[in-house]
Amino acid sequence: MTAPVDDAARTDADLRPVAAGRRVVTLQTTRVSRRIGVRASVVAIAILAAAIVVGLVALGVGESSFSISEVISTLLGFGDSRAELVILDWRMPRVAAGILFGIALGIGGAIFQSLTRNPLGSPDVIGFDAGAYTGALLVITTIGVSTATTALAAIAGGMATALVVYLLAFQRGFHGFRLIIVGIGIASMLGSLNSWIILNADLNIALLASAWGAGSLNLITAEQVGIAACFIVPLAVVAAALADRMHMLELGDDASAALGIRTGPVRITLIVVGVGLTAVVTAMAGPIAFIALAAPQIARRLTGSASVTLTGSAAVGALLLVSSDLLAQRLFAPTQLPVGIVTVCLGGIYLIWLLIHEARRR
């Protein structure tokens, strides 16, 4: 029987194979990570390119149809006055909103699914969208419809809901599953409150609020897209800056703290960013369900990443929303559906598949 060797008694020659083995493992891990990163980047670029192609198709179809070459010529400034009016003035804000809002919803969903470490951890499931809808409804039914005030009210409502859910879910540390359960309960309560607000509002305001509550890009304007971009772009930049820390939080609070991450401030900042992104979309277009839920998981499977990524989720979110809006426009043309109806139908199918898939894994 071989006697154990004390580490202090080992010579440099004894330790060289061990160190060499560690270097080999480290190099292999780095190469695998780089390959996954390259694949994720390539897939994200391809998905975003597909979203742009769908957007070009959406700019060309309708009662006044244009070919892809005519659409591109008009975008480059070589179109006639009729094409500029239809493509740039009427259709471009809607397509731009579909891509921009899809990016915002994809990033917001990725943030919360990463924080909760659960594929059901989405702003529309947790109740933050319902809170943003409540804030916007209160302003619409009391002050009136205004883009700026509605946006601020929706953000305030989403933030207030996030604070309540976080405080109720935080008990001896942060637990993602508890946050989801508490959020579902708060969302149900806010849904009842929203229905009560609409029922007690003036008839014209109630009809407007109900149509807007379905989630629609039908009446989106260039001004609204510009205002939304002023909120979404800075929030997306902050999310990108915190992406590495977000992934470290998936290791747990103890491991993250050991790596030098201030878990509390980072988590709260990410929650604020995620709620802000979804609240801005809700303020401009109403609550659009299931994009934030589905985009991160679809992106994770396409990129082969171990966890959700912001870039992949943003690209898939843009593709899902602009494609859903194209379906909403052309499915029952000339009648245009709210895009929220299409995303709910597609998202319901996805949610059933996700629940079955998770049940089989257990």
Side-chain angles (χ1 to χ4, degrees), residues 112 155 159 231-232 235 270-281:
F112 285 107
I155 293 174
M159 294 296 179
F231 287 98
I232 291 173
L235 290 173
L270 286 169
I271 290 175
V272 170
V273 170
V275 173
L277 288 169
T278 56
V280 170
V281 176

Side-chain angles (χ1 to χ4, degrees), residues 250-283:
E250 297 176 3
L251 302 174
D253 285 0
D254 293 338
S256 301
L259 293 172
I261 303 299
R262 299 176 62 190
T263 57
V266 171
R267 182 179 291 115
I268 292 174
T269 303
L270 286 169
I271 290 175
V272 170
V273 170
V275 173
L277 288 169
T278 56
V280 170
V281 176
T282 302

Side-chain angles (χ1 to χ4, degrees), residues 105 108-109 112 120-130 274 278 292-293:
L105 292 174
F112 285 107
L120 294 177
S122 173
D124 45 357
V125 174
I126 298 175
F128 301 154
D129 284 5
T278 56
L293 175 70

Side-chain angles (χ1 to χ4, degrees), residues 57-80:
V57 173
L59 290 174
V61 299
E63 294 184 6
S64 298
S65 298
F66 302 92
S67 65
I68 295 293
S69 60
E70 290 176 320
V71 171
I72 295 175
S73 297
T74 304
L75 293 177
L76 294 176
F78 300 107
D80 55 29

